[in-house]
Amino acid sequence: MCYATSLRKKREEIEQRLLNKIGATFEDPLDYDPYYHLNGFTHGNLYIIKMDEPESIYPAKWGLVPDWGTHDPEAFWKKSNTLNATSEHIFERASYKDSAEDKRCLVLADGFFEPHHENGVSIPYFCFQPSNEHPEGDLFLFAGLYNELDDAQFTATILTLEANPFFAEIHNKRKRMPLVLADHFYEDWLDDGLNQPQLNELMATGFSDRPFRAHPVTRDLYKKGVDTNKPEFIAPLDKDTLF
């Protein structure tokens, strides 16, 4: 599962990267705050591109709140974990099926964290897609769903699917991975003309073909009361030092 992400890029870098892909810019540039580590359980802001406004990037609280929970999101989050949505079941689950039909989104990130279990210990791994321009991790987009809290606020979830061989070794207990879309599927995911079988096929085959890398990071990431929004929390560590 994907319960923590990073988005370290400057606003200008993000908009330039998306210029030839989907052309989206931040609706309000002052709303953007980059981060090294966002813990989903704090329900901080992800940044999303919505179906009905593919030219704009909006902040969205992490943890989709369906219509029946919007009167009290905090109460809903206490009872329900909607940070991730299992892609194989989004049309069956009451919390997701309406959004799956007409409120799909792209979720911006340049890294995410997965737990690796070894000798009874959970070790966080930082996962990223290096490029020549950004060896520390290029921008990519998750497939996501969103819903509206009101006219100016949104909530969102990240889709997951069965792990490929690389991520099955990293996330070796649950063997799931977030759905990072290949660039050429961005517009398809936001297309309101696709039917359910077409969307199921896209989710099953749309994972990015750009290779990922991953390395262990400090287990201090799991400590309560620690400010993890710092570069040292994505720095690679020798796994032997974590035991």
Side-chain angles (χ1 to χ4, degrees):
M1 311 304 281
C2 177
Y3 293 155
T5 64
S6 70
L7 184 57
R8 298 158 286 163
K9 302 289 181 290
K10 296 179 180 179
R11 174 182 60 82
E12 295 83 1
E13 290 179 298
I14 291 173
E15 292 179 340
Q16 182 61 38
R17 173 73 171 81
L18 294 176
L19 182 63
N20 297 323
K21 301 297 182 182
I22 198 166
T25 59
F26 286 89
E27 179 67 16
D28 183 354
L30 297 179
D31 271 346
Y32 174 60
D33 290 311
Y35 51 85
Y36 290 96
H37 175 260
L38 174 63
N39 180 349
F41 292 99
T42 67
H43 304 292
N45 283 332
L46 298 169
Y47 294 91
I48 69 170
I49 301 169
K50 305 186 293 136
M51 279 181 66
D52 59 348
E53 291 185 76
E55 72 284 352
S56 299
I57 303 169
Y58 285 94
K61 297 295 184 184
W62 194 355
L64 188 145
V65 179
D67 288 344
W68 66 83
T70 55
H71 65 286
D72 193 347
E74 295 292 340
F76 177 83
W77 285 325
K78 287 181 180 179
K79 295 179 180 179
S80 304
N81 176 0
T82 55
L83 301 178
N84 292 167
T86 304
S87 61
E88 296 92 335
H89 304 297
I90 58 172
F91 291 104
E92 304 165 9
R93 302 286 167 82
S95 295
Y96 303 127
K97 62 180 182 179
D98 290 341
S99 293
E101 292 176 358
D102 59 16
K103 290 181 181 175
R104 298 185 298 278
C105 66
L106 300 167
V107 181
L108 282 63
D110 62 12
F112 60 94
F113 300 79
E114 293 284 14
H116 176 78
H117 291 83
E118 191 169 332
N119 299 326
V121 176
S122 178
I123 303 169
Y125 269 64
F126 180 64
C127 309
F128 60 101
Q129 279 185 323
S131 66
N132 291 334
E133 186 177 1
H134 295 288
E136 81 289 349
D138 208 340
L139 182 73
F140 56 81
L141 303 182
F142 296 116
L145 308 174
Y146 77 95
N147 197 27
E148 299 175 9
L149 286 180
D150 56 38
D151 290 340
Q153 287 191 310
F154 308 97
T155 62
T157 186
I158 293 171
L159 270 61
T160 68
L161 70 164
E162 183 179 351
N164 62 23
F166 177 83
F167 282 108
E169 291 188 11
I170 301 299
H171 195 186
N172 58 342
K173 193 170 185 179
R174 298 290 298 277
K175 297 186 185 294
R176 301 286 295 178
M177 65 182 183
L179 177 46
V180 179
L181 284 174
D183 294 7
H184 56 276
F185 284 126
Y186 292 168
E187 292 185 353
D188 290 337
W189 182 245
L190 302 181
D191 186 352
D192 61 5
L194 294 189
N195 58 33
Q196 183 173 330
Q198 290 172 320
L199 289 167
N200 284 333
E201 177 67 15
L202 192 160
M203 289 185 289
T205 62
F207 192 83
S208 175
D209 56 3
R210 290 193 289 148
F212 270 88
R213 293 182 62 188
H215 58 245
V217 297
T218 175
R219 295 188 73 246
D220 288 348
L221 205 67
Y222 296 148
K223 291 182 178 179
K224 294 182 178 180
V226 175
D227 179 8
T228 58
N229 189 20
K230 295 178 179 179
E232 54 261 38
F233 285 91
I234 62 170
L237 293 181
D238 183 343
K239 187 171 60 176
D240 293 337
T241 68
L242 298 174
F243 292 98

